[in-house]
């Protein structure tokens, strides 16, 4: 009996030894949580300078108790031929092992983007810690490290701040969208080319690293989401800004909400329409060997502001305004397509679409798709609807005599 | 000792768990590109026919496992060595499942834990349940059937509400692709996972309602085919053909992309649990089949005594059979194309034909 009990005890102890699963254990206080990764090219050498933005747990807590004067993040960087090499080399600078499962952001320096980014993302696919849904950004006119070093207001985590900025602007303004590593990998492997969000620094970047830069109501520096970087064969070849980048979003059906200023009977662009729904259908086919892009956009909006008198109660006035929205949208889309055709870069997934629906036709043009794309014709149709005029019908502004 | 029996729903649950086992997590039928989900459905009729052959043989010899009636049908001198072939194949296939589960665990979260430890823990669980007997095992299956169905529903549901599904990755299917889909359905998907049901020839003798054998099995196969096809369609539509074909565990990659309202994310544990449960049942059934065939061939009165040797062989071959995961996958392809079809389809069909002929002409003594 006693022997049996002892055996049972031994078995239970043995089980608790192996079943608790702490062979792999890594405790929280031995980890340095990386919130953002910056990748830069080295001058004239192959390899990368990899910058890690590490969360400083003692000063990033939201509680008032932590009155630490350290900044909420710590920057560590390392250079190596491979990203993983740099990641491990960074251990010479970091006191804790870097932990990547919470990486929100991957920033690519402009010079590296121009050299080519095709080989950057393998580690994101292969590793189980790095995630495919971290957002990707290209720093415009500067290196990735300086953007990562900037401290931000409102959000204490700069990576989180950038991510939220991106989310916010893509939700209400629509020139940018969140582009994840997953989408970039799909862009690289697909037949078409792709775009990645740009971010630029406004102000003196060196000041932004100091906490003192936040101690005034208008921060001395900040980052600004700016346009879409156009990548052809994995290399950054140009930027689309303003209407061009919004037109691109429209074609890609990635527009959530935006504002369009249209012409009123009185003045140029003084009616603000909030587009809150937009749906784009794209068909691509070949006609006489030339690709034709059929783009059909349907959008709905609310009139949010008028600068002059418009009789919003009248059906024909509203129809005129709807036409104004459609024209404005069409103009931006045409601008975007023209810009892309000038760069001979198919950023609208037209190539993928053609291959998917008409594989035989694709075979005939795939040798020189960028050439064929540049020659392609745009068949654009925009339907705009005004669904509401807000809390008033006619404005208080008197009609002009 | 009383004969152990299992009921219709328990058999149903076991077949579903066995079919889903690893097939739901690893990529299958790669040759068919984005039409893999159609291939899975296309292979179902063939799988059902094969199952009906097993069921017919069971009805003819309700008390015998496959090695038993092989000897009856083909005679002792051909039947015995032929059934002996099943032993290495069943143990090897069991060890392949173990290897896949171990590798997913290692590449997804336990990167520093030796594969030996992980596999060992799983084999110990399998040996334990087999030692308890088939009845305990089937009751466990009954419970885990609901667990798996529930987890599968949750996983698919969150992937869909996260807005990750893109139908353009699934459609359109061009005429040439139908042919490709058919080619990967037969024989590959037909054998793995449907043909692997040959293991159940060792379990059926315990089945308690003989007349329900056809209905239960076909129902279970149809349900699992539907679940498999749906899951793979979701995976394909989320990942696209390129990533799906390159990833080692598409379901895992799919679930890591989920992010619902910045709140529901990192659901990897669901996939890992699904795989562990699936592999546990699949491996146990393989081991059980190997144990009962060995017991039958070597006239071992107490099959339980073979559980530990079989488990150890499975454990050992799980990590010595291939140096690394890519080689393991390559071995699997050779194994699937050349060896499995003989045991899963050729021998049973041969038995079926010979039995019909012998009965027709009254050649049984």
């Amino acid at each position: 009996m006693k022997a049996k009990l002892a055996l049972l005890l031994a078995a239970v102890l043995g089980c608790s030894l192996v079943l608790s699963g702490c062979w792999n254990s890594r405790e929280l206080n031995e980890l340095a949580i990386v919130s953002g990764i910056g990748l830069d090219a080295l001058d004239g050498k192959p390899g990368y300078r990899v910058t890690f933005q590490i969360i400083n747990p003692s000063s990033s807590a939201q509680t008032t108790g932590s009155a630490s004067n350290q900044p909420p993040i710590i920057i560590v960087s390392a250079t190596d031929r491979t990203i993983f090499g740099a990641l491990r080399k960074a251990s010479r600078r970091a006191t804790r092992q870097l932990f990547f499962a919470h990486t929100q952001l991957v920033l690519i320096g402009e010079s590296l983007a121009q050299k080519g980014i095709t080989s950057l993302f393998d580690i994101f696919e292969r590793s189980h810690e790095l995630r495919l849904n971290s957002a990707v950004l290209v720093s415009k006119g500067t290196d990735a490290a300086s953007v990562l070093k900037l401290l931000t207001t409102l959000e204490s985590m700069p990576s989180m701040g950038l991510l939220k900025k991106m989310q916010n602007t893509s939700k209400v303004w629509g020139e940018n969208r969140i582009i994840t590593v997953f989408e970039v990998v799909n862009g690289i492997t697909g037949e078409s080319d792709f775009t990645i969000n740009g971010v630029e620094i406004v102000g003196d970047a060196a000041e932004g690293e100091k906490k003192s830069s936040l101690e005034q109501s208008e921060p001395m520096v900040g980052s600004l989401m700016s346009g879409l970087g156009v990548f052809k064969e994995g290399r950054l070849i140009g930027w689309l800004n303003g209407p061009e980048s919004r037109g691109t979003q429209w074609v890609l059906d990635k527009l959530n909400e935006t504002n369009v200023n249209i012409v009123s009977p009185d003045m140029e662009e003084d009616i603000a329409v909030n587009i809150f729904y937009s749906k784009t259908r794209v068909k691509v086919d070949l006609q006489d060997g030339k690709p034709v892009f059929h783009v059909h956009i349907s959008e709905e909006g609310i009139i949010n502001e008028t600068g002059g008198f418009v009789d919003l109660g009248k059906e024909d006035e509203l129809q005129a305004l709807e036409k104004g929205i459609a024209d404005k949208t069409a103009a931006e889309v045409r601008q975007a397509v023209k810009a892309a055709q000038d760069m001979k870069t198919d950023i609208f997934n037209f190539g993928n679409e053609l291959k998917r629906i008409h594989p035989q036709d694709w075979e005939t043009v795939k040798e020189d798709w960028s050439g064929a794309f540049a020659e392609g014709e745009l068949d654009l149709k925009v339907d705009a609807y005004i669904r509401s005029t807000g809390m008033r019908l006619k404005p208080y502004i008197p009609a002009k005599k | 000792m009383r004969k152990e029996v299992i009921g219709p729903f328990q058999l149903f649950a076991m077949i579903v768990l066995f079919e889903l086992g690893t097939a739901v997590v690893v990529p299958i039928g790669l040759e068919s590109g984005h039409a893999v989900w159609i291939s899975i459905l296309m292979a179902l009729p063939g799988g059902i026919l094969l199952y009906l052959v097993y069921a017919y043989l069971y009805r003819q010899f309700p008390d015998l496992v496959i090695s038993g009636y092989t000897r009856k049908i083909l005679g002792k001198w051909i039947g015995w060595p032929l059934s002996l072939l099943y032993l290495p194949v069943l143990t090897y296939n069991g060890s392949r499942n173990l290897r896949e589960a171990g590798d997913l665990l290692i590449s997804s979260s336990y990167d520093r834990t030796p594969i030996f430890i992980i596999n060992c823990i799983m084999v110990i669980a399998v040996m334990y349940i087999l030692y308890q007997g088939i009845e305990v095992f089937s009751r466990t299956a009954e419970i885990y059937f609901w667990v798996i169905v529930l987890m599968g529903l949750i996983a698919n549901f969150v992937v869909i509400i996260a807005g990750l599904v893109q139908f353009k990755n699934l459609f359109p299917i061009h005429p040439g692709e139908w042919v490709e889909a058919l080619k990967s359905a037969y024989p590959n998907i037909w054998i793995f996972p449907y043909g692997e049901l040959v293991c159940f020839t060792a379990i059926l003798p315990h089945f308690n309602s003989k007349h329900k054998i056809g209905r239960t099995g076909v129902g279970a196969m149809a349900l699992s085919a539907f679940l498999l096809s749906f899951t793979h369609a979701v995976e394909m539509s989320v990942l696209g053909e390129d990533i799906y074909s390159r990833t080692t565990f598409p379901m895992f990659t799919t679930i890591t992309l989920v992010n619902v309202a910045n709140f529901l994310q990192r659901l990897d544990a669901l996939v890992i649990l699904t795989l562990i449960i699936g592999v546990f049942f699949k491996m146990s059934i393989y081991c059980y089949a190997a144990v009962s065939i060995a017991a039958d061939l070597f006239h071992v009165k107490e099959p339980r005594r073979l559980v530990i040797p079989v488990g150890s062989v499975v454990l050992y071959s799980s990590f010595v059979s291939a140096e690394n995961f890519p080689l393991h996958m390559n071995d699997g392809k050779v194994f699937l194309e050349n060896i499995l079809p003989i045991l899963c389809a050729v021998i049973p069909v041969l038995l079926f034909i010979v039995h019909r002929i012998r009965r027709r002409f009254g050649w049984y003594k």
Side-chain angles (χ1 to χ4, degrees):
Chain A
M1 186 64 206
K2 251 187 191 161
K4 222 176 179 181
L5 211 70
L7 204 69
L8 192 72
L9 199 67
V12 167
L13 285 179
C15 280
S16 62
L17 207 66
V18 285
L19 290 181
S20 56
C22 38
W23 199 293
N24 248 81
S25 72
R26 284 162 76 185
E27 298 297 329
L28 195 58
N29 55 10
E30 285 161 14
L31 295 177
I33 297 169
V34 175
S35 61
I37 298 177
L39 301 164
D40 284 302
L42 300 175
D43 291 332
K45 273 189 291 177
Y48 311 103
R49 188 168 97 244
V50 187
T51 312
F52 304 100
Q53 194 184 73
I54 300 167
I55 296 173
N56 183 356
S58 64
S59 52
S60 58
Q62 299 285 340
T63 51
T64 47
S66 74
S68 152
N69 269 330
Q70 296 167 356
I73 50 157
I74 303 151
I75 299 289
V76 170
S77 71
T79 55
D80 197 78
R81 182 70 190 81
T82 57
I83 298 174
F84 187 73
L87 214 124
R88 285 293 193 240
K89 244 189 203 174
S91 66
R92 300 193 298 182
R93 302 277 307 273
T95 50
R96 298 173 176 185
Q97 191 183 346
L98 301 185
F99 180 67
F100 293 93
H102 294 274
T103 305
Q104 313 266 356
L105 205 62
V106 181
L107 261 164
I108 301 168
E110 189 170 27
S111 58
L112 178 61
Q114 281 158 350
K115 272 189 179 173
I117 61 163
T118 315
S119 54
L120 292 184
F121 297 103
D122 188 64
I123 185 171
F124 288 86
E125 280 203 318
R126 220 171 274 285
S127 156
H128 68 268
E129 257 180 33
L130 286 160
R131 297 273 159 167
L132 282 176
N133 46 9
S134 329
V136 185
L137 278 171
V138 177
S139 63
K140 193 175 184 178
T142 172
D143 58 343
S146 14
V147 179
L148 277 183
K149 285 175 192 163
L150 288 187
L151 296 175
T152 46
T153 49
L154 282 179
E155 292 292 330
S156 58
M157 293 289 112
S159 294
M160 206 57 203
L162 269 174
L163 192 72
K164 287 204 168 163
K165 205 175 281 184
M166 200 164 22
Q167 251 163 10
N168 185 32
T169 182
S170 65
K171 216 188 256 169
V172 300
W173 179 241
E175 277 177 19
N176 299 89
R177 66 175 187 277
I178 292 188
I179 296 164
T180 60
V181 174
F182 177 72
E183 284 166 69
V184 175
V185 170
N186 270 333
I188 292 172
T189 55
E191 304 294 344
S192 299
D193 296 303
F194 57 96
T195 48
I196 300 181
N197 275 323
V199 59
E200 67 182 305
I201 300 179
V202 277
D204 181 7
E207 280 298 320
E209 299 170 23
K210 299 176 196 153
K211 223 180 171 181
S212 61
S213 71
L214 303 178
E215 286 169 356
Q216 56 188 68
S217 59
E218 187 188 10
M220 287 153 85
V221 290
S223 55
L224 177 74
M225 304 306 304
S226 134
L228 293 170
V230 178
F231 284 77
K232 183 176 182 161
E233 283 151 13
R235 268 196 290 278
L236 178 69
I237 57 161
W239 291 95
L240 295 178
N241 293 312
E244 286 171 353
S245 78
R246 193 161 68 172
T248 308
Q249 297 276 88
W250 242 311
V251 180
L252 288 171
D253 194 19
K254 297 286 184 195
L255 202 86
N256 289 317
E257 200 176 319
T258 190
N259 172 57
V260 175
N261 292 339
I262 52 170
V263 190
S264 77
D266 290 356
M267 257 183 285
E268 278 280 298
E269 301 207 333
D270 66 346
I271 298 181
V273 181
N274 184 23
I275 306 286
F276 62 90
Y277 169 85
S278 166
K279 172 89 195 149
T280 310
R281 290 177 191 80
V282 174
K283 281 199 183 92
V284 184
D285 54 19
L286 285 193
Q287 289 175 8
D288 309 326
K290 247 184 166 185
V292 181
F293 318 124
H294 307 276
V295 177
H296 182 192
I297 300 173
S298 319
E299 51 189 352
E300 295 178 15
I302 301 177
I303 295 188
N304 270 6
E305 186 182 337
T306 73
F309 177 80
V310 206
D311 190 354
L312 292 173
K314 276 190 190 155
E315 198 185 342
D316 48 337
E317 286 272 356
L318 281 175
Q319 274 170 357
L321 291 180
E322 282 175 349
K323 192 171 175 302
I325 302 170
D327 288 347
K328 181 92 193 226
T329 308
E332 285 192 12
V333 168
R334 278 181 210 288
Q335 222 175 321
V337 172
K338 182 158 183 313
Q341 284 185 327
D342 288 346
M343 290 192 253
K344 292 199 171 183
T345 311
D346 168 24
I347 51 176
F348 306 110
N349 275 331
F350 289 155
N352 289 333
E353 196 60 23
L354 183 65
K355 187 183 179 190
R356 185 169 80 86
I357 307 285
H358 304 291
Q360 276 105 5
D361 288 352
W362 169 252
E363 289 301 313
T364 64
V365 287
K366 76 169 185 194
E367 292 302 313
D368 181 30
W369 172 244
S370 5
F373 167 75
E375 312 255 290
E377 240 174 77
L378 177 66
D379 164 31
L380 180 65
K381 190 163 167 260
V382 184
D383 294 323
Y385 304 97
I386 290 170
R387 292 293 184 216
S388 155
T389 60
M391 307 285 275
R392 295 287 181 276
L393 289 171
K394 284 183 198 172
Y396 63 82
I397 305 157
K400 277 188 184 161
K401 301 268 152 57
Chain B
M1 207 177 89
R2 186 180 65 90
K3 193 190 166 202
E4 291 182 294
V5 290
I6 51 179
F9 182 69
Q10 290 171 334
L11 182 71
F12 182 88
M14 268 152 88
I15 293 180
V16 172
L17 285 170
F18 180 84
E19 290 292 283
L20 295 182
T22 46
V24 78
V25 185
V26 298
I28 54 178
L30 277 183
E31 300 82 1
S32 53
H34 67 201
V36 59
W37 57 288
I38 290 186
S39 303
I40 294 171
L41 293 180
M42 277 176 167
L44 179 64
I48 288 179
L49 283 181
L50 210 51
Y51 174 78
L52 290 179
V53 170
Y54 307 148
Y56 173 81
L57 290 171
Y58 157 72
R59 274 199 298 261
Q60 297 296 314
F61 306 96
D63 294 322
L64 296 178
V65 298
I66 189 162
S67 55
Y69 52 72
T70 308
R71 275 179 293 170
K72 276 247 165 80
I73 294 171
L74 299 177
K76 205 175 165 192
W77 296 106
I78 309 175
W80 200 88
L82 203 61
S83 335
L84 192 63
L85 280 182
Y86 277 93
L87 284 182
V89 171
L90 292 175
T91 44
Y92 175 66
N93 222 347
S95 80
R96 287 188 60 78
N97 288 309
L98 182 58
R99 174 64 179 263
E100 273 152 29
D103 262 62
L104 175 67
L105 286 175
I106 283 176
S107 57
S108 67
S109 40
Y110 299 99
D111 54 348
R112 302 269 159 73
T113 314
I115 190 161
F116 176 76
I117 300 292
I118 288 181
N119 288 358
C120 208
I121 293 172
M122 283 201 275
V123 164
I124 289 172
V126 168
M127 291 198 288
Y128 175 75
I129 195 116
L130 290 184
Y131 200 79
Q132 294 299 314
I134 191 76
E135 251 185 41
V136 174
F137 178 65
S138 59
R139 284 199 296 268
T140 320
E142 212 174 344
I143 297 167
Y144 276 97
F145 169 76
W146 294 112
V147 174
I148 282 277
V149 167
L150 198 71
M151 285 203 307
L153 286 180
I154 294 174
N156 279 312
F157 180 69
V158 292
V159 170
I160 291 166
I161 61 166
L164 293 168
V165 172
Q166 290 175 302
F167 285 108
K168 72 177 172 55
N169 285 330
L170 295 179
F171 298 104
I173 294 157
H174 300 288
E177 287 164 353
W178 286 98
V179 180
E180 301 261 298
L182 197 64
K183 270 188 202 156
S184 89
Y186 295 96
N188 285 359
I189 297 180
W190 180 45
I191 296 300
F192 169 74
Y194 301 122
E196 288 184 301
L197 281 181
V198 74
C199 297
F200 277 82
T201 52
I203 288 174
L204 291 182
H206 295 288
F207 192 53
N208 66 359
S209 40
K210 202 171 154 190
H211 58 282
K212 282 189 185 158
I213 182 84
R215 250 181 295 166
T216 313
V218 172
M221 284 178 81
L223 177 69
S224 39
F226 170 73
L227 290 176
L228 264 185
S229 165
F230 183 71
T231 312
H232 280 274
V234 167
E235 286 166 14
M236 179 62 81
S237 72
V238 171
L239 296 178
E241 203 180 319
D242 176 68
I243 294 185
Y244 179 88
S245 66
R246 283 185 296 116
T247 178
T248 39
F249 299 105
M251 194 189 199
F252 189 80
T253 313
T254 309
I255 214 88
T256 55
L257 288 170
V258 167
N259 181 5
V260 181
N262 282 331
F263 167 66
L264 263 181
Q265 40 183 314
R266 318 270 148 92
L267 297 167
D268 324 1
L270 276 184
V271 175
I272 292 181
L273 271 178
T274 310
L275 182 78
I276 291 176
I277 295 172
V279 164
F280 171 74
F281 282 99
K282 200 161 179 175
M283 213 168 71
S284 305
I285 289 169
Y286 270 117
C287 291
Y288 182 80
V291 165
S292 30
I293 289 174
D296 181 57
L297 286 177
F298 300 109
H299 304 291
V300 179
K301 287 241 168 57
E302 183 66 68
R304 275 178 195 195
R305 286 164 61 191
L306 291 173
V307 165
I308 292 175
V310 168
S312 314
V313 170
V314 167
L315 173 63
Y316 184 66
S317 64
S318 76
F319 50 87
V320 296
S321 63
E323 252 173 68
N324 49 37
F325 196 66
L327 288 185
H328 169 84
M329 290 313 255
N330 291 344
D331 286 352
K333 214 175 272 167
V334 175
F335 184 65
L336 176 61
E337 277 165 8
N338 303 318
I339 299 173
L340 263 187
I342 298 176
L343 296 170
C344 293
V346 177
I347 294 182
V349 170
L350 185 80
L351 290 177
F352 173 74
I353 294 170
V354 172
H355 177 68
R356 288 303 293 249
I357 294 174
R358 280 186 76 169
R359 236 175 47 143
R360 177 80 179 70
F361 296 104
W363 290 347
Y364 280 111
K365 271 172 234 155

